[in-house]
Amino acid sequence: MDLFVVATPLSNRNRLALWKMGGVKVWDVEVGRGDAAQESIVGVSWSPDGLQIAVIHEPPRLTFHSCHDGREIRSLETSVGNDRKLRGVWWFQHESSQSSESGRSREVLYGGKFITGSAQSILRLLPPLESKQESRSSSTARVLSLKAAKDIILSQHEELDGLPELAAFPTLPSDLDAAPASSDIPYARQSNSSDDTQRIGNRSDNCGIGTLVVVADDSGHLLPFLEGSYPLGVINLGQDCSVVSVWKSPNKPIILVHITQFLTDQLSRCTIFPTTVHISLLSSASVLDVARISSITRSLVLYVNRTFREMSRAWYGHQSTEGGREVGMKWIKVLQEKEKQLDGSKRTNPIFELTNLLFTGKTSSAMREFLGGSGKLSERGMAQWQSTVANALNLIQDSAERKLSPAFERLVVVLEEVRGWTIWPQAYAAFQFTTEDIELCLKLCHRGIELAEWLSKEATAECQRFIEFMSWIKAESSRVNDGVVSDMRAPTYDPLEVSEYLEHGLLNSSIDQWFTGTTPKHDSCLVQAEHSTNMGDLMTEIRSIITRSTDLDSSGGLLLPSTRNQSTYPDRASSSLRTANPNLQALIEELSLLCCKIFQQASGAVGSQAVVETGPFTAENNSGNVHPDVQTGFDDWLMCDRFLTVEEVGQEPRIVHFTAMAACSSQEWKLVIIRKEYNMAQSFVHPKVVEVSVFDHGPLFENAASLEVLDLDFFDDNTLLAITRCMDRKDSGEPQGHPYLISIDYSRAQYTGLPVGENMPKNLEELIQKLMQLCVGGMFPTQTLPITRSRELKCCTIGKKATLAVNGRENRRCACVLDGEGRHAEIFDIDAEGDDEDGEEENQPSDHGDHSKEDLMEE
């Protein structure tokens, strides 16, 4: 199926629409941030498999959209400066070795062969943190087992409450994002339907694997992303320039960049030869290893954060949901109000009243009203109180023991492997892992395991004390409601547990320590109370207490611990266990930010290690020979280029680079094609062959008063397509004329070789100037434009701009023309027979209003 996507602005918003070749709209969505008043689309690019669309925005942002329905799959913030803007995006297939089993970038998700003993092999053997049923019913993301992709990678659409910095945590893409929104598994649903839109979503699980997205700004920087998600740092081209085109070698870690150099604020020149960027680190297995471990670490870190957030919301409540911590305080406030109303007390002490009731059985009028009068604490109210608090404590206990602690253990497994990389500089020195940072992360993980287990035990104990407390409250309420206040019934509860909950659970819960305070700094293994080293020491201490006369009162009884000399008998409550700060929330935040920093720094290794080789005749290498006053004699000119890989038996592979330039003026029109040939076994900086061919307009345009070229692009290895317009007259308004889509067979061009050396022109402008001078003097041969076919267009009769998108792949072979207003498009089957009957005109809906076309690409 042939599709094309159109991006158009509308009232400070942008819309992205996908159309079929027959003029049928597949989908139309609004693109942009919800709170962004001003955001524009700068460029778009299709993924190599045609299943996703990359879109760059201004302000700088990179988004990926599903070809299935246009929804935004993920959004990436680009690390460009405040004064820089994005200018282009390209999506390439990476080396073919990447698709092999040993090189797949996401074997960690789908299985495969791992080194025995590595973190990935160990994690694959561990049980999932959540069952499939739990992961569907819980808001916690599905980051549980390495046995299935949906149990590992978190959806990037999940909010990052409290830690927006984690949005920059480097990660490989998630197939949960690539699949249609209605699918519960990371694959598009298969269907027997013949609907084309359903087939678009198929094979989404493979989208992006082994690909490289390259984004360029207007200041000479490239931002590569592995598989459209994992950032590889920033590549500085080393000069003030703007990127015109980018090409990635299919077999080598080399990027060729065509640039326009800024000589002054008002003067720029386009280079003849591309700048070569060597990204050799990208071909090493270490980059994929780091990307996988970074993705797993991010998944586990987000899982820990979201699990702990669920615990916090269960305890403190969230929005309209009441938390277990708030229920007891709510009823204490009710008791305080009753004391003020009935007893006339200005200074109330509800805890004292409850303690007095517990040990003496005496009740005040406020207490009797609270327990049974006016229905303030009814059976329903007590049942809701008990269920809310008990459920919150059970969730905290279960999450701490079954989720947090195992997640920390898995992080230890992953970080231990990273610590091993720090002592393997031959393979991982470029990633700048430091032993100090990894050791600190491991210490935080070990503390997290201890605190999670401690929290689990503390929540269990508090839950038991709370159950005893509720048994006592129900018993007292029953006694008050039965009218037998003076009747002291046999307790069905433990008074000591109730007293402990009144003192340390009702208003000041010990559970709060895990959610407030600073990051815990205590040493390991302090979750146990201090005790004697052995039984012998303990028995010696007991005998000394019994036989010591100072420990006996006048009647011969032992003194109570509270009356002893505190210097001789230290209070166990002041031990390091009691005073240690167990704030698990602060620990998780510190661990998350530290891991993010470590892997952010590591992800930039490819960019920092990239080697940039400028062409032999750029301004940087020939600053003294550049002529800023070069005038081409043309009002305007357009450029496009194409790279071909030529492999012949018995010869080294060659790269052939074609550059086509259409130069127009009021008097003449020229098409210049430059052919450069490089030997892949040698440097791309020095071309092996440089040839030029110059064309005049053909017989089709002989009677035209003037000729315009609105856009052009290479269709395939033989054909160049161009949108031209014959101007029959000149009006004072917008340019008008007869537009054509012409096919040019550039394979029939006769090239003239140019000497490669110091006399070579320094830029395209200077080359065109010299060629035109030679052509005028008859010293350089010109050829008649080899037009093989022309199609008259119904759109593009007026206006200054038009856009051409082509698809010359096998079984595709179509082109799309969009006028400057973005309201009319025509699609052509280039291989179809006939004159113009194969063109299909498409009018965009009028509800879009008058708007200009922003960008167009074709799959």
Side-chain angles (χ1 to χ4, degrees), residues 592-800:
S592 302
L593 295 178
L594 184 56
C595 288
C596 181
K597 178 191 124 181
I598 291 172
F599 286 101
Q600 262 191 301
Q601 179 174 278
S603 67
V606 172
S608 62
Q609 296 293 314
V611 177
V612 178
E613 288 186 278
T614 58
F617 312 116
T618 60
E620 180 177 321
N621 293 334
N622 300 273
S623 57
N625 299 324
V626 175
H627 302 287
D629 58 344
V630 171
Q631 300 295 328
T632 62
F634 292 95
D635 300 330
D636 191 16
W637 55 283
L638 300 172
M639 187 190 77
C640 63
D641 56 2
R642 179 179 179 83
F643 290 88
L644 301 177
T645 302
V646 179
E647 296 183 359
E648 297 178 355
V649 179
Q651 297 184 8
E652 292 288 343
R654 294 173 291 129
I655 295 294
V656 180
H657 180 201
F658 291 95
T659 301
M661 294 171 292
C664 302
S665 69
S666 58
Q667 291 80 23
E668 59 180 326
W669 181 92
K670 297 289 185 183
L671 175 65
V672 179
I673 298 181
I674 305 174
R675 180 182 181 275
K676 290 154 286 185
E677 188 175 312
Y678 301 88
N679 192 331
M680 293 187 64
Q682 300 175 2
S683 174
F684 281 84
V685 174
H686 300 280
K688 179 181 177 182
V689 176
V690 179
E691 299 174 327
V692 178
S693 182
V694 180
F695 298 92
D696 285 324
H697 59 72
L700 177 66
F701 309 110
E702 287 181 352
N703 298 324
S706 63
L707 186 66
E708 289 182 329
V709 178
L710 304 181
D711 199 5
L712 75 163
D713 200 357
F714 285 97
F715 182 71
D716 56 18
D717 297 349
N718 301 308
T719 304
L720 174 71
L721 297 181
I723 305 174
T724 60
R725 184 164 56 195
C726 299
M727 309 302 293
D728 294 335
R729 65 183 185 279
K730 296 183 179 179
D731 298 328
S732 58
E734 286 189 295
Q736 299 186 30
H738 301 285
Y740 294 89
L741 176 65
I742 62 174
S743 301
I744 302 170
D745 186 1
Y746 69 93
S747 66
R748 300 188 337 214
Q750 300 295 323
Y751 293 96
T752 302
L754 297 180
V756 180
E758 292 297 327
N759 295 327
M760 187 76 184
K762 309 303 183 293
N763 48 67
L764 289 177
E765 289 82 356
E766 186 176 345
L767 174 63
I768 292 178
Q769 182 194 42
K770 290 187 176 182
L771 287 175
M772 295 305 104
Q773 292 174 352
L774 294 174
C775 290
V776 171
M779 300 177 63
F780 196 92
T782 60
Q783 306 171 53
T784 301
L785 198 65
I787 299 176
T788 59
R789 188 169 184 184
S790 64
R791 299 170 175 85
E792 187 170 1
L793 302 175
K794 299 176 183 178
C795 62
C796 305
T797 57
I798 61 173
K800 297 182 179 180

Side-chain angles (χ1 to χ4, degrees), residues 47-108:
S47 63
D49 57 10
L51 296 180
Q52 289 187 22
I53 303 169
V55 181
I56 54 174
H57 305 255
E58 176 58 37
R61 189 166 68 103
L62 174 63
T63 59
F64 295 87
H65 299 262
S66 170
C67 186
H68 175 73
D69 52 13
R71 65 187 175 88
E72 183 178 302
I73 297 173
R74 58 186 174 274
S75 175
L76 302 176
E77 299 295 335
T78 56
S79 56
V80 298
N82 296 329
D83 57 340
R84 302 205 298 264
K85 299 179 180 180
L86 301 183
R87 280 293 176 260
V89 58
W90 297 264
W91 203 332
F92 305 101
Q93 190 68 38
H94 199 21
E95 291 99 305
S96 58
S97 60
Q98 299 293 340
S99 60
S100 64
E101 187 161 351
S102 61
R104 273 192 178 273
S105 61
R106 282 183 292 179
E107 284 175 332
V108 65

